[in-house]
Amino acid sequence: MKTAGDLAAYDTDFDNSQTPLAAEVQQSVLIRQSIHREPAPRPQATRVFVVANQKGGVGKTTSAVNIAAALSELGQRVLVVDLDPQGNASTALNVEHRQGTPGTYEVLVDGLTLAEVIQSCPDCESLDVVPATIDLAGAEIELVSVVAREGRLKKAILAHPWVGTAASAGEDRYDYVLIDCPPSLGLLTLNALVAGAEMLIPIQAEYYALEGLGQLLSTVDMVRAHLNPELAVSTIVLTMYDARTRLAAGVAQEVREHFGDQVLKTAIPRSVRVSEAPSYGQTVMTYDPGSPGALSYLEAAREIATKGSLS
């Protein structure tokens, strides 16, 4: 299978008489036809991922929504739970999240079921979203006095009839639940860490991104020891990767040496198209499916799906 880098640099003999715009369109069509988009194998049971990194600006929400959309393209049924009061994942997936819209706040604080707040993503046929509103900003304070406050999200997820094994939840089950966390290690993120079985950590290919990783992994160890022994860091994805710099290559090498097979082979390149997509209420998968960023997220999603089917 060609890599995103191969396809982005696809050598085509364009007619010199074409305008630059026509040549770009032709190349985009060739790229879309070349990429491997066959359905990925479905997991035997719902895989619940926590997408977390307490450092902001590392591509956490961007990775969550684009991997979710890519998994949907690969024939998976996906649920994204937006746990960030900023609601950026809800924006990118084009679902309503104005103040007062039922979402994760109502699930955590008022005890609503997921089924009562789920919205369908209009751009992806098999992708659903639990939106986040600014109301969620007060949830950490309101949950302080609640019994078993750190387990409320897990209880809500497990109670949904489409979460479970093929035998218990049937063919309509969710294959993946991705929980997009806020850039902090507060009670909201703790709820996610208790609810998930796997962690997906986006790491920016820069030195500062490595500094906070130790604190995150220490928190994961504490959660594993006291609240959720099943939690495992299964997936690390390098984001904003610039192959032209020695720094990016050095960070990538250090991460791969330390974490081994947990690091996806596919690194996500810096891409203007990835950054532009949310302003149009889209992921890059629908905004520009032939761009290097979209192709890289598609490859990353296939890696995740394939690793899960082999484990």
Side-chain angles (χ1 to χ4, degrees):
M1 181 177 70
K2 291 183 176 67
T3 66
D6 294 334
L7 292 169
Y10 199 76
D11 185 17
T12 53
D13 296 324
F14 294 123
D15 182 355
N16 290 332
S17 65
Q18 287 183 336
T19 65
L21 179 59
E24 183 179 347
V25 170
Q26 182 178 342
Q27 184 178 24
S28 178
V29 170
L30 286 169
I31 290 173
R32 296 181 195 192
Q33 291 174 345
S34 300
I35 191 65
H36 188 52
R37 294 177 185 267
E38 293 180 5
R42 298 183 68 185
Q44 291 301 307
T46 305
R47 299 175 66 187
V48 182
F49 278 87
V50 182
V51 186
N53 192 328
Q54 85 277 13
K55 186 181 185 306
V58 299
K60 175 184 55 61
T61 296
T62 299
S63 294
V65 298
N66 283 298
I67 287 175
L71 285 168
S72 173
E73 275 199 26
L74 295 175
Q76 311 297 300
R77 184 158 195 159
V78 185
L79 173 66
V80 173
V81 179
D82 191 351
L83 209 58
D84 188 342
Q86 297 178 81
N88 292 336
S90 303
T91 297
L93 296 172
N94 197 22
V95 297
E96 182 63 60
H97 62 105
R98 288 180 295 181
Q99 186 171 11
T101 302
T104 44
Y105 173 85
E106 285 72 17
V107 171
L108 294 175
V109 177
D110 298 335
L112 264 62
T113 65
L114 289 185
E116 294 176 281
V117 300
I118 283 175
Q119 300 182 39
S120 297
C121 174
D123 300 316
C124 301
E125 185 177 350
S126 56
L127 176 57
D128 293 337
V129 187
V130 178
T133 67
I134 193 61
D135 298 328
L136 195 58
E140 296 207 18
I141 298 174
E142 295 182 56
L143 288 173
V144 167
S145 60
V146 176
V147 176
R149 57 187 179 271
E150 68 280 347
R152 291 179 72 84
L153 182 60
K154 179 178 183 177
K155 182 180 178 182
I157 290 175
L158 292 179
H160 197 285
W162 291 350
V163 173
T165 64
S168 64
E171 288 300 307
D172 290 333
R173 70 186 181 280
Y174 286 119
D175 297 300
Y176 294 87
V177 176
L178 275 65
I179 307 171
D180 181 43
C181 298
S184 66
L185 294 177
L187 190 53
L188 292 176
T189 300
L190 183 59
N191 257 269
L193 294 175
V194 171
E198 302 181 60
M199 275 197 75
L200 191 161
I201 305 177
I203 299 179
Q204 186 179 0
E206 294 185 2
Y207 176 74
Y208 283 141
L210 297 177
E211 285 196 321
L213 189 58
Q215 183 183 356
L216 177 61
L217 295 177
S218 296
T219 302
V220 171
D221 288 338
M222 286 191 291
V223 170
R224 189 185 293 123
H226 301 289
L227 295 169
N228 183 9
E230 297 180 357
L231 183 63
V233 179
S234 66
T235 308
I236 294 174
V237 57
L238 290 162
T239 61
M240 305 181 192
Y241 184 79
D242 189 344
R244 299 170 298 178
T245 66
R246 292 182 180 179
L247 174 62
V251 171
Q253 182 179 355
E254 188 173 340
V255 171
R256 293 187 191 283
E257 287 176 354
H258 190 274
F259 293 100
D261 291 341
Q262 293 165 288
V263 185
L264 295 182
K265 295 176 182 177
T266 303
I268 310 301
R270 286 189 177 275
S271 171
V272 174
R273 309 301 271 174
V274 171
S275 302
E276 285 177 348
S279 64
Y280 292 89
Q282 297 183 59
T283 67
V284 73
M285 304 306 300
T286 55
Y287 178 65
D288 189 354
S291 66
L295 299 179
S296 295
Y297 274 119
L298 191 66
E299 289 180 18
R302 184 172 291 282
E303 273 194 70
I304 292 170
T306 304
K307 285 172 64 177
S309 68
L310 297 176
S311 60

